[in-house]
Amino acid sequence: MSDKKEKMIVNGFVFANEAEAKQAEKEVEGVKFIKEKMEMDKPEVVLEIYNKMVRQNLFETAVGFSYLKDLQEYLQSIPFVNKEEILPIQVQHPILEEQMRGNRVASKPKQPEKVKERYVNIDYKNRYRIMRGIAVVLLVCVAAMFAISATVGSPTILNYEQELINRYAEWEQELNEREAWITEREAELGKKAE
């Protein structure tokens, strides 16, 4: 059994099963290949390769993620590299995710009894009556507002133009009457002065 555990240790990481250990070994080889080919003195190229690896989800184990993290820290340490262009590492762990899905299905969260009782004891008929009463009161209020606006003598948006025309016509008539009275009065005063 200790022999099997030794096989599941790859690059300082212990893996839960042989499939993950084999994947980690592949990633160790991939990391070695990338390190040999990558020119670390050209940060623009490193950024491009790093972002490509992150977008493609190239790594699945801690071995690959630790390499990506090293590259990310290297890129963040370079002042002229735009930090916003450095993509965050997307960590996906298929076996752990599968186990969590299994746990969620196996143990559905149960509603507490108090919550269930609260919904069972609701008197929906009474609530319906109250809501219907409120709706009727609001409808009556709206109808009353329309009735008041129709009977009030002040101009509303519906008859505003006509009210203004009528008001100006009244003013013009009053002004004409006053002007006529003033000219008549001046004529009388003019005759008396002669």
Side-chain angles (χ1 to χ4, degrees):
M1 182 149 184
S2 65
D3 204 22
K4 194 171 185 177
K5 278 193 176 181
E6 286 178 23
K7 288 183 182 178
M8 289 200 240
I9 296 174
V10 179
N11 212 28
F13 293 99
V14 177
F15 292 94
N17 58 44
E18 278 188 63
E20 279 190 34
K22 286 181 182 179
Q23 179 63 31
E25 288 172 354
K26 288 180 187 177
E27 289 182 11
V28 167
E29 294 302 316
V31 167
K32 282 180 186 174
F33 177 77
I34 293 170
K35 281 183 178 179
E36 290 171 2
K37 300 292 181 184
M38 192 179 314
E39 299 173 34
M40 294 299 284
D41 58 333
K42 296 182 180 177
E44 303 88 19
V45 176
V46 174
L47 176 64
E48 196 173 315
I49 292 171
Y50 166 82
N51 283 340
K52 195 172 192 178
M53 288 188 292
V54 169
R55 277 191 214 101
Q56 293 177 351
N57 293 323
L58 195 61
F59 298 113
E60 297 175 6
T61 67
V63 172
F65 292 139
S66 66
Y67 176 66
L68 284 176
K69 185 62 180 168
D70 291 342
L71 282 179
Q72 185 184 63
E73 288 173 355
Y74 165 75
L75 290 169
Q76 289 175 342
S77 70
I78 298 173
F80 64 86
V81 172
N82 186 357
K83 308 302 182 238
E84 293 173 2
E85 291 180 10
I86 303 171
L87 294 177
I89 301 168
Q90 300 173 11
V91 178
Q92 296 175 340
H93 196 276
I95 294 173
L96 182 61
E97 288 174 9
E98 197 60 40
Q99 287 174 349
M100 291 188 67
R101 275 191 217 114
N103 288 345
R104 270 188 265 153
V105 171
S107 63
K108 284 187 178 179
K110 296 179 181 178
Q111 287 185 339
E113 291 301 318
K114 290 181 180 178
V115 173
K116 286 182 183 178
E117 289 175 11
R118 186 173 66 192
Y119 290 116
V120 169
N121 294 333
I122 294 175
D123 184 12
Y124 289 107
K125 287 182 181 180
N126 193 26
R127 282 189 174 190
Y128 172 73
R129 285 186 203 120
I130 292 170
M131 295 304 282
R132 188 176 56 191
I134 291 172
V136 168
V137 168
L138 290 174
L139 183 65
V140 168
C141 288
V142 169
M145 287 190 315
F146 277 114
I148 290 170
S149 68
T151 59
V152 171
S154 66
T156 63
I157 194 110
L158 302 174
N159 62 357
Y160 197 72
E161 183 180 6
Q162 189 60 43
E163 284 287 327
L164 284 175
I165 291 170
N166 291 344
R167 206 175 275 174
Y168 285 124
E170 287 175 19
W171 289 346
E172 186 177 6
Q173 186 178 357
E174 283 179 28
L175 285 174
N176 288 339
E177 288 174 3
R178 283 186 185 175
E179 189 177 338
W181 181 79
I182 289 174
T183 38
E184 195 178 296
R185 189 83 173 138
E186 284 177 349
E188 283 179 18
L189 288 174
K191 284 182 185 178
K192 285 186 182 179
E194 291 180 4

